[in-house]
Amino acid sequence: MSAVVVSLRVKATPQEAFDVFTQEIAAWWRPSGLFQLTPRGDGELRFEPGETGRLVTTLPNGKDFEIGRVTIWAPGERLAFTWRQATFTPDQVTHVDVRFEALEQQTRVTVEHRGWDAIPEDHAARHGFPLAATQMRLAEHWRALLAALNETLGA
Amino acid sequence: MSAGRSIDKTLAALADPHRRRAVELLGQRPRRAGELADALGLPAPAMSRHLRTLKQSGLVEESHPEFDARVRIYTLKEGAMADLKKWLADTERLWADQLSSFKTHVEKKRK
């Protein structure tokens, strides 16, 4: 399975961190040189809150692009949403899962971004996403495989 | 082929545990089809089908040793996983950057 996990601590409560993450994403999101959400740039992001919410960006031409739909909305604890860049094919949906955990006086924020080989099936069925040809559930195996290949290919 | 298509093909080829194991074995060194079939405990026709899929996905290539054209040697293609690894690396960078920006923003607010 292709998955990326990134985590750091912030000086805030889990609730504050969740609120700022979801309500002020336009203020903290930085357009990345690595890949743009759309060919017209990243635009201005916003979360429409709640279990039926969405992550949307408004582009310079005034058009909205839906990056994804909220699948889990648990204020102060967890947020999950699907993630599509404009360049993805229709069956390429990836999944982002964000956790907020209290840690002493701080909060650990963990983002897990799973590739399109790993969309939860129940979610796919609920939202009618066509699934990519791949359904793999072997994250550990994958990590080991990629690590081995990295060594082999001298990357 | 776009990176996205290429990643799809790579993932589709690796969706099968026998094919993943074959790729691992070829990651160690080139092998003959018979060797792979023995190692995976597969009948030759099944192994051939898997190898065909792996060849079509661009992960594996086939060659013949000079002394015997009937023997096929399978090799893991250089850079076969490059798109997938690049996606993983880019995505990791993206979230590392976004989270550090988020941290700065949250902590500035609380001062």
Side-chain angles (χ1 to χ4, degrees):
Chain A
M1 187 182 87
S2 47
V4 166
V5 182
V6 178
S7 148
L8 53 61
R9 290 185 191 198
V10 299
K11 293 191 185 88
T13 66
Q15 187 65 51
E16 284 168 334
F18 182 96
D19 290 346
V20 171
F21 194 99
T22 53
Q23 293 166 19
E24 299 178 26
I25 189 165
W28 61 261
W29 186 266
R30 265 190 297 200
S32 144
L34 288 169
F35 37 52
Q36 296 190 307
L37 294 175
T38 85
R40 295 195 191 84
D42 282 12
E44 185 160 310
L45 282 72
R46 71 176 186 278
F47 274 101
E48 295 173 355
E51 286 283 355
T52 56
R54 304 185 303 160
L55 174 58
V56 179
T57 185
T58 304
L59 300 171
N61 64 2
K63 285 213 171 99
D64 274 357
F65 172 75
E66 181 184 290
I67 299 162
R69 300 193 183 172
V70 172
T71 55
I72 297 170
W73 186 273
E77 284 174 36
R78 196 170 163 202
L79 168 73
F81 47 96
T82 55
W83 176 277
R84 278 193 74 249
Q85 286 151 236
T87 51
F88 285 12
T89 60
D91 64 350
Q92 284 180 340
V93 182
T94 61
H95 210 268
V96 179
D97 200 329
V98 191
R99 289 165 200 274
F100 302 85
E101 298 160 279
L103 210 68
E104 292 141 21
Q105 299 304 304
Q106 304 187 342
T107 296
R108 183 167 56 206
V109 183
T110 305
V111 171
E112 182 176 351
H113 194 145
R114 290 192 299 276
W116 41 87
D117 49 330
I119 307 297
E121 287 189 56
D122 57 344
H123 170 257
R126 209 171 50 213
H127 290 278
F129 286 123
L131 277 186
T134 51
Q135 276 297 320
M136 294 189 285
R137 295 278 180 270
L138 294 153
E140 286 313 308
H141 183 93
W142 248 100
R143 282 175 202 278
L145 176 62
L146 284 171
L149 286 167
N150 260 323
E151 281 170 30
T152 310
L153 302 173
Chain B
M1 187 161 63
S2 78
R5 296 301 314 154
S6 157
I7 293 167
D8 271 1
K9 285 190 96 138
T10 305
L11 291 173
L14 292 169
D16 177 275
H18 288 119
R19 292 200 289 269
R20 280 199 296 273
R21 186 73 193 119
V23 166
E24 280 176 347
L25 290 167
L26 293 174
Q28 295 159 3
R29 60 178 171 82
R31 291 167 196 261
R32 295 195 320 274
E35 256 186 285
L36 290 168
D38 290 348
L40 272 62
L42 286 175
M47 194 67 241
S48 299
R49 278 196 303 276
H50 285 311
L51 284 166
R52 198 159 50 236
T53 305
L54 288 169
K55 270 190 307 194
Q56 286 166 347
S57 74
L59 284 169
V60 163
E61 47 194 355
E62 184 184 285
S63 60
H64 302 276
E66 283 172 17
F67 60 86
D68 189 348
R70 289 167 308 174
V71 175
R72 293 175 182 178
I73 305 281
Y74 292 90
T75 314
L76 196 61
K77 225 168 172 168
E78 196 63 45
M81 306 291 281
D83 282 333
L84 183 60
K85 284 193 305 213
K86 185 175 182 329
W87 182 81
L88 290 166
D90 284 355
T91 303
E92 186 159 347
R93 260 280 305 283
L94 172 81
W95 287 110
D97 291 354
Q98 298 302 352
L99 273 187
S100 85
S101 170
F102 169 71
K103 178 182 168 80
T104 308
H105 179 74
V106 171
E107 294 180 354
K108 213 164 42 198
K109 275 183 64 106
R110 292 193 21 124
K111 282 199 179 112

